[in-house]
Amino acid sequence: MGQGNMKYTNPIIRGFHPDPSICRVGDDYYLVNSSFEYFPGIPVFHSKDLVNWTQIGNCVKRADKFPLDRVKDSGGIWAPTIRHEKGIFYVTATLEKYGNFIITSADPAGEWSDPVWVEMGGIDPSLYFENGKAYYCTNESLHPGKEEISMAEIDASTGTLLSEKRTIWCGVGGGHLEAPHVYHIDGWYYLIAAEGGTFFNHMITMARSRSIWGPYESCPWNPVLTNAHDTSKEVLCTGHGDLFRDHFGNWWIVHLGTRISRRTMTHLGRETFLTPVVWKDGWPVVENRKAVLISEGPLWAGQEKPKKWNADFSRENWEPEWIFLRNPRGLSYKRGDGKLVLYPSTVTLRDGKNPTFAAVRQRDFESETDTEFIFDPCRDGDEAGIAILLSSDFHYTFCKKKTPDGNVLVVEKRAEDFHQVAYCAPVQDGILRLKVCCSKEYYTFYYSVDDVPYKQVCTASTRFLSCEVAGKCFTGTVIGLYTVSSGETEAFMEVLKFSNNPL
C-alpha cells in the first residue's frame, strides 16, 4: 500500500504502556516502555507501519542483575530510551535505588547484555550518538533548588563519564522537569523534555541550540503538546515523548497519555500514543498542540484490529506478554504439555513482594479474560483464581477457596483499608472456568464447572482500581492467575487455558 493521509486510532499500544521511546532502523521501528515493579522488564515492540505493533520480547530478563525484590509499588524500572548505533541497540533506564544503566543487544528480540551502570544521577536518562561520541542526559540538578537537564559525554560501553556534567536547560517552569531527549536536525540541536508532572498538567516542551552544549532557547509556543486544557476530556495527561522521522521523511512523536473510563479516572494507566508533527519556522508543531483519539497522518498501512491472544501451554517458554511481580520465584511455576502449574505461596498480593502471580496487562477497557483450571485445595485458606491488580492495596480477586464450611467461589474487592466480599457461594469440584468481562465502568464475573453454561455472579466498579483513586500510581491494571496458601500445602493450580482479548 502506498503512502497517504490515513486515519488511525490512539492509543497505538493499549493498556499499561507508559513512557514510550522509539528508534528506526531502515523501515523497522522498535519501541520500549516502562515496566516499574514487573518482571521481565522493559517490553520491546516492533512495527513496520507505526500503527500495528507486536511485542517481540523484554529487555530485562536477568533477575540476578536487576534486583526488584524490595521495590515498592510504582517503583523499579522506569523511563527507558532506545537508540541504535552501528548495528547495536542501546537501552538506558533507571532502576530505583541503584541508578541509571545501559544494556545492549544486536537483536532487540533476543538477549540483552548485563547492565553497565552510568556515573550520572537523575532519572529518565537518554543517549545521543554523534561522530563516534556518546552523550548522556538526565534531569540531574547540578545547582541545589533548581530543576535542570544535565548532560555529559560518556563511554557507553563502561558508563564512565568522559567530560564534566553540564546544565543545558532549565525548562519553562512547569515543574517536574524530566524525560529529556536530544536530536540533531538541520543544523540545530533540539532538546525535548516533559514538565508539569505526569498527571493532568503533563506537557511536552522543547528548546534548541546550534551547539549540543547550549545555550538552548525555548520554543516560542511551548508546550508543543499538552492536553491540560482539553475540554473534551477524551485524552488526558499527555507528555513524555520521543520525536522521530519515518523512512518516508515524515515526522511524528510517540508519547504517553490516558483515556478516561469514568469522569477523570482511568484504570488502564498511561498508554502509548502517536501524534503527527510538522515543522514551522524551525520548530515542530502539533495540530492544536494536543493528542486526539482519532488522528490522521501520512501512513502507508491501515490499522488492523487487535489480534486474539491465547497462552500456548504446550511451550515451556513464557510468551513475552507475561509479567510477574518483582523477581519471581521460578519454583512456583511449571509449564508445558498443554498446561501451566502454579504452586501456592504464603506471600499474598497485599504484601508488596513476589506472590505466585502470572499476569498480562489488561489490553483495553472493553476486553475479556477467561481461564480453565483444576484446583483441589487441601487446607483452609488455600485459594486459586484470577486477580485484577493495580497495586498491592488495590486489587480484586475471583477464586476458589477452602473454608471450614467447604470450598467456595469468592469475589473480593480491596481498596486500601476497604475490603468487601462481593460474592461467596459453595462451588463443586471439576474443571473450573472463570471469565471476567471488562468495560469502562465495570468488571463482570462469570463461572462454570465442567461444561455447564456460564453463570454471572456479580459486577464490580472499575472506580476502585483507577490510578486517580490509588493516588501516586504509575502503572495500570494487570490481569492474571494466582494461588496462595496460609501454610504448607499439597494443593496446586493446574491451568488448562488462559486468554486475554479485546472485545
Side-chain angles (χ1 to χ4, degrees):
M1 181 178 291
Q3 187 190 17
N5 231 35
M6 298 185 191
K7 289 186 177 180
Y8 64 95
T9 301
N10 272 314
I12 54 168
I13 303 179
R14 300 187 168 220
F16 155 47
H17 292 100
D19 307 330
S21 176
I22 192 170
C23 73
R24 176 175 69 87
V25 182
D27 60 355
D28 290 284
Y29 299 84
Y30 300 92
L31 186 149
V32 292
N33 298 104
S34 292
S35 50
F36 294 93
E37 67 264 38
Y38 290 98
F39 187 90
I42 311 182
V44 56
F45 292 83
H46 170 260
S47 177
K48 283 281 192 180
D49 54 31
L50 301 183
V51 289
N52 300 295
W53 293 87
T54 300
Q55 187 175 350
I56 58 174
N58 295 278
C59 300
V60 172
K61 295 186 285 188
R62 291 281 304 278
D64 59 327
K65 298 297 181 180
F66 295 90
L68 297 176
D69 281 342
R70 297 183 180 179
V71 304
K72 298 178 181 179
D73 293 343
S74 291
I77 298 173
W78 63 76
T81 295
I82 185 169
R83 296 292 183 255
H84 182 263
E85 176 72 4
K86 296 181 179 179
I88 299 297
F89 290 88
Y90 293 77
V91 165
T92 182
T94 302
L95 173 56
E96 179 191 10
K97 298 180 181 179
Y98 287 84
N100 297 315
F101 63 87
I102 297 172
I103 51 177
T104 58
S105 178
D107 176 10
E111 295 301 314
W112 289 76
S113 71
D114 290 347
V116 168
W117 299 96
V118 181
E119 299 173 349
M120 193 161 180
I123 62 169
D124 296 8
S126 185
L127 271 165
Y128 172 71
F129 293 94
E130 183 178 73
N131 298 327
K133 295 183 177 181
Y135 300 87
Y136 201 77
C137 60
T138 73
N139 73 341
E140 181 176 6
S141 174
L142 304 182
H143 302 89
K146 289 188 176 181
E147 292 196 347
E148 300 174 336
I149 300 299
S150 298
M151 188 168 66
E153 184 186 345
I154 70 164
D155 182 336
S157 65
T158 65
T160 303
L161 299 192
L162 301 180
S163 75
E164 65 177 357
K165 294 181 280 189
R166 302 186 196 176
T167 298
I168 60 173
W169 196 45
C170 294
V172 300
H176 302 283
L177 181 63
E178 57 191 7
H181 297 300
V182 172
Y183 318 91
H184 195 203
I185 305 166
D186 295 336
W188 289 95
Y189 290 93
Y190 288 88
L191 172 62
I192 196 173
E195 299 189 54
T198 194
F199 293 105
F200 299 133
N201 292 321
H202 212 24
M203 65 182 79
I204 293 175
T205 56
M206 182 161 279
R208 70 180 184 182
S209 172
R210 288 295 186 183
S211 166
I212 193 170
W213 296 108
Y216 281 81
E217 60 173 313
S218 296
C219 175
W221 46 77
N222 271 325
V224 295
L225 186 149
T226 184
N227 282 65
H229 308 295
D230 180 5
T231 57
S232 75
K233 304 298 183 188
E234 288 187 337
V235 180
L236 293 174
C237 307
T238 50
H240 198 122
D242 201 359
L243 184 70
F244 70 100
R245 180 165 53 185
D246 68 29
H247 61 286
F248 289 105
N250 305 298
W251 287 89
W252 306 81
I253 189 167
V254 290
H255 58 91
L256 64 78
T258 62
R259 291 178 294 155
I260 301 308
S261 56
R262 50 166 74 225
R263 296 184 182 177
T264 57
M265 301 177 187
T266 180
H267 50 285
L268 294 187
R270 301 167 299 161
E271 305 175 283
T272 294
F273 284 68
L274 174 71
T275 297
V277 170
V278 296
W279 289 82
K280 178 183 177 182
D281 300 329
W283 293 101
V285 176
V286 170
E287 184 177 359
N288 297 322
R289 295 199 298 176
K290 69 178 184 179
V292 293
L293 291 181
I294 306 299
S295 191
E296 189 171 350
L299 296 170
W300 53 97
Q303 193 172 33
E304 302 169 0
K305 292 183 178 180
K307 294 181 174 63
K308 291 188 176 297
W309 187 87
N310 297 284
D312 182 3
F313 295 138
S314 67
R315 302 169 52 202
E316 291 187 3
N317 294 329
W318 296 89
E319 294 89 347
E321 292 85 357
W322 287 100
I323 51 177
F324 308 84
L325 279 168
R326 300 169 181 86
N327 296 133
R329 292 167 288 106
L331 295 178
S332 296
Y333 311 93
K334 181 180 179 181
R335 55 177 288 163
D337 298 324
K339 60 188 177 183
L340 166 66
V341 178
L342 289 81
Y343 297 97
S345 167
T346 57
V347 177
T348 74
L349 297 169
R350 306 187 300 278
D351 292 336
K353 296 180 180 178
N354 52 353
T356 301
F357 177 54
V360 295
R361 294 163 175 87
Q362 184 175 335
R363 294 184 63 186
D364 210 342
F365 289 128
E366 308 287 340
S367 60
E368 181 178 285
T369 296
D370 67 279
T371 184
E372 296 181 6
F373 64 92
I374 300 169
F375 181 64
D376 296 319
C378 297
R379 61 178 293 163
D380 289 351
D382 286 358
E383 63 181 90
I386 292 177
I388 309 168
L389 183 137
L390 180 71
S391 68
S392 58
D393 289 337
F394 295 83
H395 56 266
Y396 298 162
T397 53
F398 185 23
C399 70
K400 180 180 180 180
K401 178 188 294 188
K402 182 175 176 60
T403 72
D405 297 322
N407 295 334
V408 294
L409 188 68
V410 183
V411 176
E412 292 186 77
K413 302 164 60 179
R414 293 185 181 274
E416 204 165 60
D417 60 351
F418 167 79
H419 174 226
Q420 180 188 46
V421 176
Y423 177 85
C424 182
V427 63
Q428 61 267 45
D429 292 332
I431 298 177
L432 182 58
R433 301 163 64 205
L434 302 182
K435 179 167 68 173
V436 181
C437 291
C438 314
S439 69
K440 284 188 174 183
E441 296 192 344
Y442 294 100
Y443 293 105
T444 305
F445 301 90
Y446 301 83
Y447 88 100
S448 167
V449 177
D450 294 329
D451 293 323
V452 301
Y454 277 110
K455 176 184 177 182
Q456 179 178 330
V457 297
C458 68
T459 62
S461 170
T462 60
R463 175 192 306 274
F464 303 106
L465 296 187
S466 71
C467 301
E468 292 72 24
V469 169
K472 191 178 181 181
C473 179
F474 298 145
T475 58
T477 46
V478 302
I479 300 182
L481 303 160
Y482 84 100
T483 180
V484 68
S485 176
S486 58
E488 289 189 13
T489 181
E490 298 297 320
F492 58 88
M493 181 184 192
E494 185 177 311
V495 184
L496 308 175
K497 174 186 176 182
F498 182 82
S499 66
N500 176 239
N501 292 305
L503 293 176

